[in-house]
């Protein structure tokens, strides 16, 4: 049995980058068969435009603007059964991971999350690799057939190039008993305070600041640097505990785990509880005045020195190189 | 109401990771097993709810090799949980989140639990699958990456926030439910010495391996097989940028990010 189904998770005006990555991975595990996307909610096929799937399934219905994980799992297993595919790839977002757990049970499939590599194995199995222990080790697993569901780790796979023409689409019906499933129960949404850039878990570049910034006001230097790179802003727990920035910024053992292409740590010492949240970044840069700071043990590139002149100079240089207008407030030396 | 909190023994954060002789898993030799970090938040959250909802009791449940499971259960009791159940992992049963969920399901299906709390993931295998898989087995709602879980006494409802991409979603939970914690609203409490001593003698309900074996029989066919456990090549330490002025540091770093690391946007 070939082919694979990928869940497309909506975001304002399109689908999440994790969804595009899922489509790319679905191509690998489709074993020459068709890659089918499933888009849930109102608005027709619009949000999936440019997504390189061979077929697109859409499903609409009451409450499907924001489905629960139980509803996603039911829709995916229904669509996969209808298509006769044996593999489902779910975006590696927090919600996607929960969908994997429910779907594995509902659809009787082997399951994994945080997948950074996948190849076809023997007898319909998949061989996957995933980091464990906060990136301090990795494991290779064989997911037995006949059915598998998994979520890639964000940014572990590149996004496929956009499709030139839209894929043929069809609307599928809701499965039996759908109205009895738990619904989302969401009552409101509070966007992360002050974050203009990309979301921490999704960003391909993260710039984080630590206690070395000294005051909540000078934390702006980190935000300006992030803005120049189009990066998300993170922080050490010293910063969130002090209330300089909300706890949603925290990277580490008791905060978010991130695995961007580039992680820049500014004025962060590199305590193990921070390291476990960012060590799987592809390239790590540290700026710290203490040459002995443990962050330099995990960094690829280090700048030893006072962040106060260095960070604004860096922001300025980046803005210049990227052809952006000279910085907003706070950047520029002095 | 009865709250169950799921607790997993994981290697202590300081553990020196080493592959075992077969190269497919972590060498357990000399590992100190402790309560997983997010599970500690789940215990804290369970105790906070117990303190705010009259007539609530908290039962800690752990699946794993008996000695390890009971170690973390005694810790949960020392922190303030009322009762504990250890679900014994049968010898040779695979370490897989779906198998774990099936074993915990056995323990939960026998009680009328309104709320199941767990950590959003454990610090060893980091799958985050046990909570949602268990919720599907129980046929109930599940709320992942939860923060600010509160009991609203006026409307007898559980409210919480979920930390998702871009912000926090406010949710009114329908019970029964599984809630996987990102953070309790307090830092986890520490156990007091007299309670630690008392917990050593506390009675722990046991679900023997024989009973567990039949509960996990079907799902075991779905378990992943471990092929390799690897440590990354040691990082060789950072390449330090030499510079005479902040401007020079900036120029050099940008050049390296663009030409060598190829991560400049
Ligand atoms: C159970 C537990 C869980 C935890 N979870 C987390 C977590 O999830 N995330 C997390 O981050 N931490 C966590 N911590 C806290 C962690 O142990 C550290 O205390 C914290 O990460 C330190 O933050 P910091 O690096 O910003 O501050 P510090 O350790 O104080 O480091 C500040 C750094 O700034 C540098 N500096 C100072 N001035 C300058 C300057 N002018 N220019 C350049 N550099 C300068 C200093 O050299 C120093 O290295 C946890 C701790 C515990 C016990």
């Amino acid at each position: 049995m070939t082919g694979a189904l990928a869940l497309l998770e909506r975001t304002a005006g399109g689908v999440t980058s994790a969804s595009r990555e899922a489509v790319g991975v679905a191509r690998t595990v489709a074993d020459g068969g068709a890659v089918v996307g499933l888009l849930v909610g109102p608005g027709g096929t619009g949000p999936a435009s440019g997504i390189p799937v061979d077929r697109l399934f859409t499903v609409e219905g009451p409450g499907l603007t924001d489905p629960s994980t139980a509803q996603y799992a039911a829709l995916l297993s229904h669509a996969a059964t209808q298509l006769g595919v044996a593999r489902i790839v779910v975006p590696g977002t927090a919600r996607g991971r929960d969908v994997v757990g429910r779907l594995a049970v509902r659809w009787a499939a082997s399951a994994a999350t945080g997948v950074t590599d996948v190849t076809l194995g023997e007898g319909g199995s998949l061989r996957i690799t995933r980091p464990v222990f906060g990136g301090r080790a990795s494991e290779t697993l064989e997911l037995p057939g006949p059915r598998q569901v998994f979520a890639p780790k964000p940014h572990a796979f590149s996004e496929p190039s956009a499709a030139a023409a839209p894929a043929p689409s069809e609307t599928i019906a809701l499965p039996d008993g759908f109205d009895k499933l738990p619904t989302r129960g969401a009552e409101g949404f509070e966007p992360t305070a002050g974050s203009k850039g990309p979301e921490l878990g999704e960003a391909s570049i993260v710039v984080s600041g630590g206690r070395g910034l000294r005051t909540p006001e000078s934390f702006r230097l980190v935000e300006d640097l992030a803005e120049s790179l189009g990066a998300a802003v993170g922080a050490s727990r010293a910063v969130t505990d002090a209330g300089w920035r909300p706890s949603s910024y925290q990277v580490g053992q008791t905060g978010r785990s991130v695995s961007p292409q580039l992680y820049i740590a500014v004025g962060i010492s590199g305590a193990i509880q921070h390291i476990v949240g960012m060590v799987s970044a592809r390239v790590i840069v540290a700026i710290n005045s203490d040459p002995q700071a443990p962050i330099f043990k995990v960094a690829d590139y280090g700048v030893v020195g006072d962040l106060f002149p260095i960070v604004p100079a860096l922001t300025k240089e980046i803005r210049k190189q990227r052809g952006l207008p000279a910085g907003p407030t706070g950047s520029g030396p002095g | 109401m009865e709250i169950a909190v799921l607790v997993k023994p994981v290697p202590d954060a300081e553990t020196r990771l080493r592959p075992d002789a077969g190269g497919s898993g972590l060498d357990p030799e000399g590992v100190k097993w402790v309560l997983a970090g997010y599970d500690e938040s789940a215990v804290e959250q369970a105790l906070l709810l117990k303190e705010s909802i009259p007539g609530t009791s908290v039962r800690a449940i752990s699946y794993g090799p008996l000695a390890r499971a009971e170690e973390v259960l005694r810790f949960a009791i020392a922190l303030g949980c009322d009762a504990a159940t250890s679900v014994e992992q049968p010898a040779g049963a695979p370490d897989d989140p779906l198998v774990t969920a099936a074993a915990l399901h056995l323990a939960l299906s026998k009680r009328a639990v309104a709320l199941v709390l767990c950590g959003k993931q454990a610090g060893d295998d980091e799958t985050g699958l046990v909570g949602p898989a268990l919720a599907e087995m129980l046929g109930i709602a599940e709320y992942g990456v939860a923060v600010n879980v509160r009991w609203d006494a006026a409307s007898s409802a559980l409210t919480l926030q979920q930390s998702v991409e871009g912000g926090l979603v406010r949710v009114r939970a329908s019970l029964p439910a599984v809630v996987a914690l990102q953070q309790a609203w307090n830092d986890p409490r520490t156990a007091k010495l007299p309670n630690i001593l008392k917990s050593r003698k506390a009675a722990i309900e046991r679900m023997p391996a024989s009973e567990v074996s039949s509960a996990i029989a079907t799902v075991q066919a779905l378990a992943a097989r471990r092929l390799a456990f690897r440590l990354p090549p040691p990082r060789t330490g950072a390449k330090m940028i030499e510079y005479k002025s902040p401007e020079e540091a900036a120029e050099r770093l940008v050049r390296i990010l663009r030409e060598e690391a190829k991560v400049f946007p």
Side-chain angles (χ1 to χ4, degrees):
Chain A
M1 212 171 353
T2 63
L5 178 65
L7 176 64
L8 305 177
E9 219 183 359
R10 288 154 169 279
T11 180
V15 302
T16 55
S17 66
S19 301
R20 286 192 290 275
E21 290 164 12
V23 168
V25 177
R27 184 67 67 194
T28 308
V29 299
D31 197 10
V35 172
V36 183
L38 175 68
L39 183 68
V40 182
T45 59
S49 82
I51 304 297
V53 291
D54 303 316
R55 275 169 89 183
L56 182 66
F57 274 13
T58 59
V59 53
E60 297 189 18
L64 289 187
T65 309
D66 187 18
S68 67
T69 52
Q71 291 175 324
Y72 269 135
L75 292 170
L76 284 165
S77 98
H78 180 59
T81 308
Q82 201 166 318
L83 282 163
V85 299
R87 290 175 178 146
I88 301 180
V89 187
V90 177
T93 53
R95 191 117 69 101
R97 209 170 62 157
D98 288 356
V99 172
V100 172
R102 297 201 80 120
L103 184 54
V105 171
R106 190 174 180 101
W107 194 47
S110 57
T113 52
V115 172
T116 53
D117 188 48
V118 58
T119 53
L120 302 177
E122 291 181 2
S125 69
L126 288 177
R127 226 170 223 259
I128 61 113
T129 298
R130 55 192 301 281
V132 292
F133 291 97
R136 291 195 294 141
S138 71
E139 61 181 14
T140 299
L141 305 175
E142 182 182 79
L143 296 185
R147 286 173 297 278
Q148 292 112 348
V149 51
F150 66 94
K153 191 171 179 71
H155 306 303
F157 299 89
S158 48
E159 292 184 16
S161 19
S169 71
E170 58 208 274
T171 303
I172 60 167
L174 295 175
D176 290 342
F178 192 78
D179 53 338
K180 299 196 181 60
L181 295 171
T183 54
R184 180 93 174 88
E187 299 202 317
F189 181 71
E190 291 157 31
T192 306
S195 77
K196 282 176 292 172
E199 202 282 323
L200 195 51
E202 285 241 315
S204 58
I205 304 180
V206 173
V207 181
S208 285
R211 204 194 317 259
L213 270 302
R214 285 202 209 126
T215 64
E217 291 73 36
S218 49
F219 196 82
R220 269 233 54 102
L221 296 178
V222 167
E223 288 160 342
D224 290 344
L225 175 57
E227 192 189 328
S228 73
L229 286 162
V233 181
S236 72
R237 177 151 153 188
V239 166
T240 55
D241 273 357
W244 297 357
R245 290 299 180 272
S247 63
S248 56
Y249 279 58
Q250 187 180 317
V251 171
Q253 185 186 319
T254 44
R256 304 286 297 269
S257 280
V258 297
S259 49
Q261 293 294 309
L262 172 63
Y263 187 90
I264 304 182
V266 178
I268 291 177
S269 60
I272 181 72
Q273 296 90 353
H274 186 80
I275 302 277
V276 296
M278 44 64 84
V279 71
S280 58
R282 191 164 78 75
V283 176
I284 298 171
V285 172
I287 302 173
N288 196 302
S289 51
D290 174 7
Q292 304 303 325
I295 190 77
F296 289 124
K297 293 212 177 70
V298 298
D300 300 286
Y301 302 103
V303 181
V304 176
D306 183 4
L307 70 88
F308 288 95
I310 292 171
V311 172
L314 186 57
T315 303
K316 194 173 168 201
E317 174 68 13
I318 290 167
R319 295 190 76 93
K320 188 174 107 195
Q321 294 283 331
R322 299 191 69 202
L324 302 171
T329 50
S331 62
Chain B
M1 100 162 139
E2 182 164 355
I3 297 179
V5 56
L6 311 178
V7 292
K8 180 179 181 182
V10 299
D12 180 75
E14 313 286 297
T15 302
R16 272 208 45 202
L17 304 176
R18 262 188 325 230
D20 60 13
S24 64
L26 171 71
D27 183 357
E29 176 73 31
V31 170
K32 187 174 167 232
W33 298 87
V34 299
L35 177 56
Y38 290 109
D39 293 355
E40 228 174 295
S41 296
V43 171
E44 178 62 31
Q45 186 61 66
L47 298 174
L48 292 169
L49 288 172
K50 174 184 151 131
E51 287 153 13
S52 57
I53 316 171
T56 295
S57 65
V58 176
R59 174 177 294 271
I61 306 178
S62 185
Y63 168 70
L66 207 57
R68 280 180 213 170
E70 297 202 346
E71 184 69 30
V72 295
L73 287 171
R74 289 193 192 284
F75 181 56
I77 290 173
L79 290 171
C81 291
D82 303 292
T85 302
S86 79
V87 185
E88 189 181 359
Q89 182 173 10
D95 287 322
D96 181 272
L98 302 179
V99 173
T100 303
L104 293 166
H105 179 235
L106 171 72
L108 283 161
S109 56
K110 299 192 171 175
R111 348 188 69 94
V113 173
L115 180 62
V116 180
L117 293 170
C118 60
K120 71 161 185 180
Q121 65 184 49
D124 51 357
D125 62 6
E126 302 181 324
T127 74
L129 291 176
V130 172
L134 177 64
E136 186 71 22
M137 288 171 185
L138 291 165
I140 62 177
E142 138 276 335
Y143 304 93
V145 285
V147 298
N148 292 326
V149 181
R150 307 266 173 175
W151 181 250
D152 176 11
S155 63
S156 290
L158 191 76
T159 62
L160 54 89
Q161 289 175 314
Q162 286 182 285
S163 163
V164 300
E165 288 66 24
L168 293 171
V169 177
R170 231 173 333 109
V171 170
R172 182 167 292 261
S174 66
L175 296 183
V178 174
V179 175
L181 263 290
Q182 157 109 341
Q183 229 174 350
W185 80 71
N186 271 352
D187 277 344
R189 60 196 71 189
T190 48
K192 296 194 180 70
L193 188 59
N195 294 344
I196 294 174
L197 296 176
K198 255 201 292 188
S199 75
R200 295 278 128 213
K201 297 202 191 71
I204 292 179
E205 179 194 51
R206 280 190 183 170
M207 313 220 65
S210 54
E211 230 176 295
V212 179
S213 287
S214 47
I216 63 174
T218 348
V219 84
Q220 229 169 298
L222 305 176
R225 274 185 284 283
R226 277 161 206 288
L227 302 178
F229 181 88
R230 285 190 210 89
L231 302 181
R235 295 235 184 199
T236 46
K239 178 168 167 180
M240 294 299 180
I241 314 275
E242 308 279 330
Y243 63 94
K244 295 200 183 60
S245 67
E247 290 71 28
E248 191 186 2
E251 272 164 40
R252 292 204 163 167
L253 183 57
V254 168
R255 194 172 328 128
I256 284 179
L257 293 180
R258 169 174 284 157
E259 288 164 18
E260 189 176 300
K262 303 201 186 326
V263 285
F264 195 75

